[in-house]
Amino acid sequence: MSLGSVPLKYKISIDRDQCMKCMRCVDNCSYGVYRIEDDKILIDSRKCTACHRCISMCPRDAINLQEKPVDYRSHPLWTAEAREDVINQARSGKIILAGMGNARDYPVIFDRLVLDACQVTNPSIDPLREPMELRTYIGKKPAKLEFTKNNGDIDLTTKLAPNLKLDTPIMIGHMSYGAISLNAQLSLAKAVAKTGTFMGTGEGGMHEAIYPYQDHTIVQIASGRFGVDIDYLERGAAIEIKVGQGAKPGIGGHLPGEKVCADVSCTRMIPLGSDAISPAPHHDIYSIEDLAQLVRSLKEATNWEKPVFVKIAAVHNVAAIAAGIARSDADAVVVDGFKGGTGAAPKVFRDNVGIPIEAAIAAVDEKLNDQGIRNEVSLIASGGIRNSADITKSIALGADAVYIGTASLIALGCRVCGNCYRGLCPWGIATQKPELVNRIDPEIGAEHVANLIKAWTLEISELMGAAGLNSIESLRGNRERLRGYMLDQGLLDVLKIESVGA
Ligand code: SF4
Ligand code: SF4
């Protein structure tokens, strides 16, 4: 018995009067939608992923893409997606994989938060005329500073913990070489060096092409420990232990063997073509005490000179876990919300497990303050941050800085088609195929990503100026400058903010 085929997701058509047969669509589509037969371009719409590469490259705007050209009978419960998942799993018997972030239509809390602005009684600040301080330090802060007088000079005697100094509160999160291409990673590395900030290497070592930018990298250690040795630890400006990821809390990672080319295998220190499977837990971490041991071992190995971060997925008891991390000698806790992106995750995890980053930031900041340990760690938020307003709201909720991921890939061309796990990314990002990787020029890619960071940094200063604040320190955890719009009382209580009009 055949289950038949599911309807087309996308339908591609070409305006043949406009088409000049330049063949760019044929050359650019890595999914094989277009082919030539008898001098005619034939189209197989079933292979289309809506990556928009062909549309972007067509010089005549001749290509038309239509979403859902045929649909099922509408039904509020048995949506097209629910029906197709059942059909596909009845056919394959397999877990469904998906790329990018949570695709459910949950309300976005950021869009229901509004920022304050000064009017009449409290003057706003013009960032074009007055200095604005967006410099951000990530790491432990001393509870108090002690000084001694020395022949008329004043010396600081408090020993300061190592901190990362950022010119903007925006960093780029961890996307490993293997998950993304070297040219994509190199573009990000050049961009963070240009803008005075940092990027994560992801799990999987550091390629030597990134060495010139190592002072702007945070090296990651995940449960597979791929690519980790003392040289790797010493190269990074900071070290991050990844315990969990917002897109797939509670499970490990899987880089398919097809993406493990010779270069990736050397960088990850694994055999060529082998699957890189990171286990769900770290097999040496079963308690905060175990975590503290690993944190201290990493500090010991690097002379206590580098801050150590711990990254967790935002889950129900995120605040209590973060408080434990703050007591483990870690210097920063990274919390990744359930809208965080990924190259590949089981769809059921991506869309159903975890909590939104907005609630997690507020809960963690509140818990650390309540326990008097807020200065012990910085709080870095990630997972679904789309623009400068999301960043400003994250900081007002209590974050020190943010990681962006998907937004930086969109700046490199990504169209969020969600097919990263197939290794055929036509934009040269989530692929290791040389002919596709070469589509990214790292100099141009770096310029685009740096432009995005600069533009968002400017917008953050404008938003702060409008609220009468001239330093990021004054914005941090300043929930008085936020109001909730169309949020229920339960969520307002969690976010510790008032409703609009209050
Ligand atoms: S890219 Fe546009 S103009 Fe060129 S062959 Fe394809 S449809 Fe025609
Ligand atoms: S990185 Fe490439 S494959 Fe992944 S969502 Fe973006 S365009 Fe699609």
Side-chain angles (χ1 to χ4, degrees):
M1 184 195 82
S2 164
L3 282 170
S5 57
V6 295
L8 281 179
K9 274 201 170 53
Y10 311 104
K11 174 122 179 84
I12 294 279
S13 55
I14 293 179
D15 179 341
R16 306 277 170 181
D17 292 337
Q18 284 297 317
C19 175
M20 58 191 269
K21 293 204 175 160
C22 68
M23 304 302 160
R24 287 194 195 167
C25 51
V26 183
D27 296 341
N28 272 278
C29 181
S30 49
Y31 296 110
V33 170
Y34 305 92
R35 69 178 200 280
I36 307 285
E37 250 180 58
D38 298 333
D39 201 32
K40 191 167 186 314
I41 300 172
L42 301 183
I43 300 168
D44 183 351
S45 290
R46 208 162 267 286
K47 293 181 175 166
C48 179
T49 64
C51 74
H52 276 222
R53 179 80 188 182
C54 58
I55 291 172
S56 310
M57 295 297 140
C58 174
R60 303 295 290 267
D61 289 329
I63 299 173
N64 185 42
L65 186 156
Q66 191 192 351
E67 193 165 0
K68 281 195 198 300
V70 186
D71 213 338
Y72 299 83
R73 172 193 158 238
S74 63
H75 193 287
L77 180 65
W78 286 100
T79 59
E81 184 188 349
R83 275 176 263 193
E84 284 180 12
D85 285 353
V86 170
I87 294 168
N88 286 332
Q89 291 191 294
R91 205 179 266 142
S92 71
K94 290 186 177 159
I95 288 172
I96 300 175
L97 283 183
M100 303 315 278
N102 190 315
R104 279 276 162 87
D105 194 15
Y106 296 114
V108 180
I109 299 175
F110 280 132
D111 292 342
R112 295 181 181 206
L113 297 175
V114 284
L115 289 155
D116 194 16
C118 300
Q119 298 295 297
V120 184
T121 53
N122 47 351
S124 51
I125 297 168
D126 184 348
L128 294 177
R129 292 182 175 76
E130 298 190 43
M132 303 292 284
E133 186 57 270
L134 270 84
R135 207 174 309 151
T136 301
Y137 288 89
I138 300 294
K140 290 181 190 300
K141 311 290 182 301
K144 60 174 185 176
L145 294 175
E146 287 176 352
F147 302 91
T148 51
K149 284 189 183 160
N150 184 8
N151 288 338
D153 286 340
I154 294 180
D155 293 335
L156 177 68
T157 50
T158 308
K159 191 164 167 18
L160 299 177
N163 270 227
L164 288 190
K165 181 178 152 209
L166 284 54
D167 291 341
T168 168
I170 307 167
M171 293 186 279
I172 296 180
H174 291 258
M175 291 173 280
S176 66
Y177 172 45
I180 61 172
S181 66
L182 187 57
N183 280 359
Q185 216 186 39
L186 202 46
S187 305
L188 302 178
K190 287 172 184 275
V192 291
K194 276 176 192 238
T195 49
T197 183
F198 294 81
M199 64 166 269
T201 58
E203 176 182 28
M206 189 191 290
H207 190 280
E208 59 187 24
I210 307 293
Y211 291 173
Y213 311 98
Q214 63 188 29
D215 293 345
H216 290 271
T217 64
I218 302 155
V219 295
Q220 192 179 59
I221 296 177
S223 57
R225 304 285 153 92
F226 299 124
V228 178
D229 63 8
I230 187 64
D231 179 61
Y232 173 65
L233 296 179
E234 281 173 349
R235 286 189 187 279
I239 301 169
E240 179 172 303
I241 302 167
K242 175 189 158 191
V243 174
Q245 183 178 343
K248 41 185 172 180
I251 60 170
H254 179 187
L255 182 72
E258 306 88 72
K259 280 184 151 186
V260 183
C261 60
D263 235 11
V264 171
S265 92
C266 289
T267 311
R268 290 209 170 209
M269 304 176 195
I270 56 171
L272 181 70
S274 64
D275 285 11
I277 298 176
S278 308
H282 285 248
H283 286 304
D284 52 357
I285 304 178
Y286 287 90
S287 64
I288 292 294
E289 290 74 22
D290 290 345
L291 176 67
Q293 267 196 10
L294 180 58
V295 169
R296 289 181 199 133
S297 308
L298 292 169
K299 290 189 170 197
E300 190 67 36
T302 51
N303 260 338
W304 295 79
E305 283 169 358
K306 296 177 197 285
V308 174
F309 304 175
V310 178
K311 177 181 175 185
I312 52 171
V315 289
H316 300 183
N317 59 344
V318 64
I321 300 164
I325 292 170
R327 292 188 166 84
S328 74
D329 246 345
D331 301 271
V333 55
V334 182
V335 180
D336 195 21
F338 84 156
K339 293 214 181 242
T342 178
K347 187 164 172 265
V348 68
F349 274 78
R350 187 196 68 172
D351 293 350
N352 297 286
V353 185
I355 66 168
I357 189 60
E358 302 90 329
I361 299 170
V364 170
D365 183 57
E366 190 73 8
K367 177 75 88 184
L368 297 178
N369 276 317
D370 284 354
Q371 298 192 0
I373 51 175
R374 185 63 185 83
N375 283 344
E376 287 299 309
V377 277
S378 292
L379 171 56
I380 300 163
S382 64
I385 287 170
R386 305 156 299 170
N387 50 46
S388 59
D390 289 355
I391 298 169
T392 310
K393 292 170 189 178
S394 298
I395 296 172
L397 284 169
D400 291 271
V402 300
Y403 274 160
I404 59 167
T406 305
S408 64
L409 299 188
I410 294 174
L412 289 177
C414 165
R415 296 297 201 263
V416 196
C417 74
N419 280 262
C420 317
Y421 58 95
R422 292 172 61 186
L424 291 170
C425 175
W427 292 91
I429 301 167
T431 179
Q432 302 306 325
K433 291 191 177 298
E435 67 279 15
L436 299 176
V437 174
N438 287 339
R439 291 179 180 182
I440 297 184
D441 176 333
E443 292 301 332
I444 298 172
E447 195 181 321
H448 291 155
V449 177
N451 279 346
L452 179 74
I453 294 174
K454 282 184 204 157
W456 283 4
T457 306
L458 280 174
E459 286 181 345
I460 295 167
S461 355
E462 292 282 352
L463 288 168
M464 281 168 40
L469 307 172
N470 62 3
S471 91
I472 205 97
E473 290 284 332
S474 317
L475 175 68
R476 186 168 308 123
N478 192 343
R479 292 178 217 176
E480 175 48 32
R481 312 316 290 268
L482 283 176
R483 287 289 185 273
Y485 183 47
M486 295 190 301
L487 289 175
D488 62 41
Q489 191 56 49
L491 203 40
L492 290 173
D493 291 346
V494 169
L495 297 169
K496 292 281 183 296
I497 57 169
E498 294 199 76
S499 166
V500 285

